[in-house]
Amino acid sequence: MQNNFIAGVPWRKEKDLKTLVENRTTYTLDNCELNIFETHQEAKNVNLSFGDLVLTTMLKGKKVMHLFEKPGFDYLPGESVIVPPNEMMKIDFPEAKFDNPTQCIALSISKEMIENTFNLLNERLPNKEVTKDWGLDLSYFHLINTQDLSEIINRFIRIGVKERSKEKDLIASFALKELLIRLTQTQARDMLEKTYKTLSSSNRMAFVIDFIKTNIRENLNLDELSAKACMSKAHFSRTFKTELGLSPMEYILKERLKLAKHYLQIANYQIQEVCFMSGFNNITYFIRAFKSEFGVTPKVFQLTKK
């Protein structure tokens, strides 16, 4: 079952809480600092900033986050927000209570680690297709976690909180590099989802994404997609996976499942109808793939949809 939520973060015992609003537990490592924040009562206009770039990930409960002097947005589990150095976060906790606390992590990452990681990527894997260079784009700061991103955040938390070996900092630095790669891949997918139509005439990957979405019910294959990108099959597959974090066929599967979920939410279609309307041609495979992605069968999802 896919799980884009983060698990395994310890809660502070009641007697150890220094404050009920953004109680902070810190784990310091080379090149980064892992902070776990808990809030156990309703609060407004809580200010927070860091000297380094920060990846925050929501674990439990709900916040309203105000950034870049823009209107506040709901911040929920399964989501992450990238915050630049010294940027003030103004945070509301409209639903926090002692029996319904919020919990999130804030991972501050040194400028040197970020620069070294992306310099290495630009040296080893130049000529990107989606964006010009490897790096973070703060235009796409509020992200829905992908499975890969969630998995590496989970692993990093385990290293920060539980690892006791003398190699801890080295292990953490490798995980941090992977986290930065997964973060850029998640951003690239988010950027393409929002701009593929406008970029389709000037960007090969955007053109392919547009073609996939337009023809999602057709029998799509790598030969056709690589031809659309004017690339060899091997080069296309490698580029797609490197820059977006999943293979072309994995992307197509996720798009079809997303479409199926939409159909199940908007009307009481038969499951077999949804299967074929979403581009699947095998009902058994469709049901198995849907359950793997969303944790329940299409029928159960349809019966319990909000």
Side-chain angles (χ1 to χ4, degrees):
M1 171 181 167
Q2 176 176 314
N3 185 355
N4 291 351
F5 297 87
I6 312 301
V9 178
W11 291 87
R12 300 294 284 183
K13 293 177 180 165
E14 186 175 345
K15 63 183 177 60
D16 296 329
L17 292 172
K18 299 183 181 71
T19 172
L20 295 181
V21 178
E22 289 295 67
N23 188 83
R24 180 174 183 172
T25 306
T26 300
Y27 301 87
T28 303
L29 300 131
D30 283 354
N31 295 305
C32 64
E33 182 183 84
L34 174 63
N35 299 275
I36 301 172
F37 289 97
E38 299 173 33
T39 294
H40 294 260
Q41 69 181 30
E42 191 176 324
K44 287 196 76 172
N45 295 321
V46 177
N47 292 339
L48 185 65
S49 69
F50 291 84
D52 288 314
L53 180 137
V54 175
L55 171 68
T56 75
T57 298
M58 199 66 188
L59 308 179
K60 186 179 189 300
K62 172 186 170 179
K63 294 181 181 181
V64 177
M65 180 82 87
H66 304 262
L67 271 177
F68 309 118
E69 299 184 356
K70 292 183 178 179
F73 58 88
D74 288 352
Y75 190 19
L76 302 167
E79 301 175 359
S80 291
V81 169
I82 305 168
V83 185
N86 304 310
E87 177 69 31
M88 184 63 71
M89 297 175 255
K90 294 184 181 294
I91 310 166
D92 301 332
F93 302 85
E95 300 172 2
K97 298 175 185 170
F98 208 86
D99 60 354
N100 183 39
T102 69
Q103 190 184 51
C104 81
I105 65 161
L107 178 63
S108 65
I109 308 170
S110 74
K111 182 181 178 183
E112 291 74 23
M113 171 56 82
I114 294 169
E115 288 180 349
N116 289 343
T117 301
F118 291 132
N119 286 342
L120 181 65
L121 285 165
N122 284 315
E123 182 184 316
R124 298 281 180 88
L125 297 167
N127 305 317
K128 285 184 93 254
E129 292 288 340
V130 176
T131 54
K132 184 181 176 187
D133 296 306
W134 288 94
L136 296 173
D137 183 346
L138 291 172
S139 306
Y140 302 93
F141 61 88
H142 183 198
L143 301 167
I144 305 298
N145 294 347
T146 61
Q147 188 171 6
D148 285 339
L149 182 57
S150 290
E151 285 173 358
I152 185 59
I153 292 171
N154 264 321
R155 197 172 346 131
F156 194 88
I157 291 169
R158 283 197 299 272
I159 294 166
V161 173
K162 297 178 179 177
E163 181 69 39
R164 293 289 179 266
S165 73
K166 60 185 178 184
E167 301 88 10
K168 177 173 180 171
D169 281 310
L170 186 59
I171 294 168
S173 72
F174 288 135
L176 201 53
K177 287 179 188 296
E178 183 183 344
L179 194 154
L180 288 168
I181 292 169
R182 298 301 182 196
L183 203 49
T184 60
Q185 291 170 332
T186 304
Q187 279 195 322
R189 282 160 65 178
D190 186 55
M191 184 269 282
L192 281 178
E193 286 297 314
K194 292 171 179 171
T195 62
Y196 69 91
K197 281 199 176 297
T198 54
L199 291 178
S200 62
S201 60
S202 59
N203 183 290
R204 288 195 280 192
M205 288 298 147
F207 181 76
V208 170
I209 295 296
D210 190 22
F211 179 80
I212 289 171
K213 286 177 178 288
T214 303
N215 298 279
I216 196 66
R217 298 174 186 83
E218 307 302 321
N219 183 22
L220 299 167
N221 59 66
L222 273 178
D223 290 316
E224 186 175 26
L225 296 179
S226 56
K228 294 289 178 187
C230 300
M231 301 163 81
S232 73
K233 194 159 66 169
H235 182 46
F236 169 72
S237 296
R238 189 167 56 247
T239 300
F240 197 101
K241 180 75 181 274
T242 299
E243 298 196 25
L244 299 182
L246 72 180
S247 72
M249 303 320 287
E250 287 170 336
Y251 180 84
I252 290 167
L253 175 60
K254 285 185 180 293
E255 283 297 297
R256 286 175 173 159
L257 291 169
K258 191 164 68 175
L259 186 60
K261 186 179 179 183
H262 171 70
Y263 286 137
L264 291 168
Q265 285 173 319
I266 62 169
N268 289 319
Y269 291 114
Q270 294 294 315
I271 301 303
Q272 191 162 356
E273 285 182 286
V274 173
C275 169
F276 296 122
M277 287 163 61
S278 306
F280 293 92
N281 53 23
N282 182 301
I283 185 82
T284 304
Y285 174 69
F286 165 61
I287 292 170
R288 188 168 67 244
F290 191 96
K291 186 173 182 182
S292 176
E293 181 79 0
F294 301 117
V296 294
T297 64
K299 192 65 184 174
V300 170
F301 178 82
Q302 189 178 49
L303 293 172
T304 56
K305 71 179 187 290
K306 294 178 181 177

